[in-house]
Amino acid sequence: MTDDSLVTTPFGAQTTAEEVLAGIDLRGRRALVTGAASGIGRETARVLAAAGAEVIVGVRDLAAGAQVAEEIAPASGPGTVRATMLDLADQASVRAFVAAWQGPLDILVLNAGVMACPLERTKEGWEVQFATNHLGHFALATGLHGALAQARGARVVVVSSVGHVNGDVLFDDINFEEHPYDPWAAYSQSKTANVLFAVEAGRLWAPDLISVNALNPGRITTTRLGRHIGDIGNSPSSFDPTSTDVSWKNIEQGAATSVLLAASPLVEGVTGRYFEDCNEAGPHRPGVRRGVAAHAVDPQSAARLWQISLDMVEAAAPAA
């Protein structure tokens, strides 16, 4: 396989997560899945545990997370599921989680996210979609870098969205302090940031044998991610259930690309790329809501965002 060839698998848009991991043994592997209290995060955690992994679900509501962990844990076999407190919009929560982590980490699925919500800011003054979808995950992944390196072959999976094609990172005003707030523009930049993170982390962490890839899970209508759409009058036409320019999926299908990148031998050694429907995506074409936009895989933008993110996270940390 050459560097510019696209990675393909026998799977597609209708493949389920269980089908992707059929016959794969993850005993002895440790996985962390954010946003696993519902939706494709929950299904990702469930299937990884069913394959034998020890799975930790990072959740804001620990009681709800504990209930989910009990519900999705395998009835028999080596896989286990447990919940741990983690609020990605709260940098103190992320720091506490990282400080408490012990031992290697084989699989990190950065799944949690918010979409097109009304303007809200964290205590640092950060716009909440960028803070949650990107900066929280950035701080978590970089904080756990040592644990990932210790695993010698770890995988980081970043759940992005086809929404990234709608806009680049607004580098001169990431927090919408000067520009009028647009919930969809804020969402798009956070999802572009997810892909740029995968590009730069894939480059920087390759010597540590850490693979980092981003993905578009498809349009899954039965999750809580779209709960704010009804409050916004200008949602994209592609959110209409009759739209055919995106892959409409159920939760089992929506989690398939995540578990492929997390554990399938078919993508061993692949890093810094963007997948959809269980295959690497080609370039985005105008008018079609598929593929990866050029602005999301630009190496210079990826390096720039990495430094900005590092500076923001470090500035938010208490003085030593």
Side-chain angles (χ1 to χ4, degrees):
M1 179 174 58
T2 61
D3 288 344
D4 58 353
S5 64
L6 297 180
V7 178
T8 60
T9 77
F11 306 124
Q14 305 308 308
T15 304
T16 67
E18 280 192 343
E19 290 169 341
V20 168
L21 290 194
I24 294 177
D25 187 350
L26 296 182
R27 286 178 292 183
R29 304 280 187 90
R30 299 176 79 200
L32 168 61
V33 183
T34 69
S38 63
I40 63 172
R42 175 187 171 122
E43 179 67 1
T44 298
R46 186 190 71 81
V47 172
L48 291 174
E54 173 194 351
V55 181
I56 299 92
V57 296
V59 293
R60 290 182 296 175
D61 185 334
L62 193 55
Q67 181 177 346
V68 167
E70 182 178 356
E71 291 170 353
I72 67 176
S76 61
T80 60
V81 186
R82 62 182 174 88
T84 304
M85 174 65 189
L86 176 62
D87 184 350
L88 290 162
D90 182 349
Q91 285 286 307
S93 176
V94 177
R95 288 192 297 270
F97 184 96
V98 168
W101 186 271
Q102 295 182 343
L105 176 59
D106 300 278
I107 299 167
L108 174 58
V109 183
L110 305 177
N111 169 84
V114 293
M115 180 174 72
C117 51
L119 178 60
E120 183 180 348
R121 299 192 184 279
T122 67
K123 60 186 178 183
E124 295 87 6
W126 301 341
E127 188 278 317
V128 76
Q129 292 191 77
F130 191 80
T132 303
N133 298 349
H134 171 63
L135 289 172
H137 281 140
F138 177 88
L140 179 66
T142 54
L144 293 174
H145 172 261
L148 292 163
Q150 189 178 346
R152 304 303 292 169
R155 299 191 187 184
V156 180
V157 180
V158 192
V159 180
S160 180
S161 166
V162 69
H164 84 272
V165 304
N166 290 346
D168 201 348
V169 174
L170 194 62
F171 281 106
D172 64 342
D173 190 21
I174 283 173
N175 290 307
F176 288 86
E177 295 167 326
E178 304 296 334
H179 292 71
Y181 178 69
D182 181 321
W184 290 108
Y187 178 69
S188 296
Q189 82 155 353
S190 74
K191 294 289 102 179
T192 289
N194 289 154
V195 188
L196 290 172
F197 168 80
V199 170
E200 185 67 357
R203 183 185 72 84
L204 292 174
W205 294 353
D208 302 310
L209 304 182
I210 302 170
S211 296
V212 189
N213 293 287
L215 68 104
N216 163 31
R219 184 79 73 240
I220 302 97
T221 58
T222 53
T223 73
R224 296 184 67 249
L225 181 63
R227 60 190 179 274
H228 295 294
I229 292 178
D231 300 329
I232 302 168
N234 61 339
S235 57
S237 60
S238 59
F239 279 84
D240 187 312
T242 63
S243 173
T244 58
D245 60 357
V246 293
S247 296
W248 290 84
K249 303 179 182 183
N250 59 31
I251 287 174
E252 293 77 14
Q253 295 163 342
T257 308
S258 292
V259 300
L260 174 90
L261 295 173
S264 173
L266 296 174
V267 291
E268 184 76 32
V270 175
T271 192
R273 305 197 187 191
Y274 174 90
F275 283 69
E276 61 189 3
D277 297 340
C278 295
N279 290 275
E280 185 180 0
H284 171 251
R285 292 182 289 115
V288 179
R289 294 188 64 76
R290 299 185 59 80
V292 61
H295 62 249
V297 290
D298 177 74
Q300 292 183 328
S301 292
R304 182 183 181 186
L305 179 65
W306 186 279
Q307 188 59 54
I308 289 172
S309 303
L310 193 62
D311 292 344
M312 292 176 74
V313 168
E314 289 181 348

